[in-house]
């Protein structure tokens, strides 16, 4: 998401780009807390759940994050297999929707082709509330991508 959200281009009154770094002076330092819980389920799956609540005089930012990964030794030559879910900037945890604004799901599977080469499959879903009605519905509010590649380690 960093590449998608790190800068915003404005076309009027003049063409210019505003980065997140440019806007830092507008914000005061925030405080808060972060907690996470990790569990090993039968030495097969690893589950991590995290919650963050950051607040300042002006704003409050809450984020939730989860990760499930498969033990690599379960499948020969498997280097990684995991699914992650993240949602940031929601108002109340009681009103949290799985397909909410700023929710993101991604998964990755890595298979060793050789000691320094890995075949990687990535899958990603991002939800955006384009019409600002508070409901994520339709293809225009769901961005899905899939990629496959080879990673070389030197």
């Amino acid at each position: 998401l960093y590449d998608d959200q790190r800068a915003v281009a404005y076309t009027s009154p003049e063409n210019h780009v505003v980065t997140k770094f440019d806007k830092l002076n507008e914000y005061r330092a925030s405080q808060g807390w972060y907690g996470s819980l990790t569990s090993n389920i039968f030495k097969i799956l690893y589950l991590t759940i995290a919650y963050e609540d950051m607040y300042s005089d002006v704003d409050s930012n809450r984020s939730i994050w989860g990760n499930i990964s498969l033990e690599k030794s379960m499948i020969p030559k498997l280097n990684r297999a995991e699914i992650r879910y993240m949602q940031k900037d929601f108002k109340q945890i009681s009103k949290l929707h799985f397909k909410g604004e700023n929710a993101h799901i991604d998964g990755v599977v890595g298979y060793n082709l050789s000691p320094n080469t890995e075949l990687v499959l990535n899958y990603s879903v991002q939800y955006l509330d384009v019409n600002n009605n508070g409901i994520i519905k339709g293809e225009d509010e769901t961005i899905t991508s899939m990629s496959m590649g080879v990673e070389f380690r030197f």
Side-chain angles (χ1 to χ4, degrees):
L1 292 178
Y2 175 79
D3 284 341
D4 293 335
Q5 298 173 350
R6 68 182 170 151
V8 177
Y10 295 97
T11 57
S12 67
E14 60 212 36
N15 293 334
H16 65 283
V17 175
V18 177
T19 66
K20 283 189 173 184
F21 184 76
D22 295 333
K23 299 186 84 171
L24 283 178
N25 290 332
E26 297 176 17
Y27 298 99
R28 296 181 61 164
S30 58
Q31 298 178 354
W33 60 276
Y34 170 86
S36 68
L37 177 66
T38 300
S39 178
N40 179 339
I41 303 170
F42 303 114
K43 296 184 179 181
I44 297 173
L45 293 174
Y46 296 92
L47 172 66
T48 300
I49 299 172
Y51 178 79
E52 178 180 72
D53 190 354
M54 302 298 290
Y55 47 89
S56 67
D57 296 341
V58 179
D59 202 8
S60 177
N61 290 316
R62 293 176 180 88
S63 299
I64 191 165
W65 177 83
N67 185 59
I68 299 174
S69 60
L70 181 66
E71 169 60 43
K72 294 189 298 187
S73 64
M74 297 299 296
I75 300 173
K77 295 192 174 189
L78 181 71
N79 191 43
R80 55 187 158 162
E82 60 186 59
I83 298 171
R84 294 179 294 268
Y85 174 83
M86 179 191 67
Q87 190 171 134
K88 63 178 190 166
D89 296 336
F90 59 87
K91 301 296 180 210
Q92 295 177 348
I93 195 142
S94 62
K95 295 182 180 181
L96 185 68
H97 297 286
F98 183 78
K99 290 172 71 172
E101 176 76 22
N102 296 320
H104 188 247
I105 302 167
D106 65 344
V108 62
V109 175
Y111 183 79
N112 284 331
L113 298 175
S114 71
N116 296 325
T117 308
E118 181 180 2
L119 178 65
V120 180
L121 175 65
N122 290 295
Y123 177 79
S124 176
V125 178
Q126 181 181 357
Y127 301 106
L128 304 170
D129 190 6
V130 175
N131 57 9
N132 292 319
N133 67 352
I135 300 169
I136 306 297
K137 190 173 183 181
E139 292 181 13
D140 58 333
E141 296 187 323
T142 304
I143 300 170
T144 304
S145 65
M146 184 180 288
S147 65
M148 181 184 291
V150 177
E151 289 183 9
F152 299 98
R153 290 179 292 280
F154 299 98

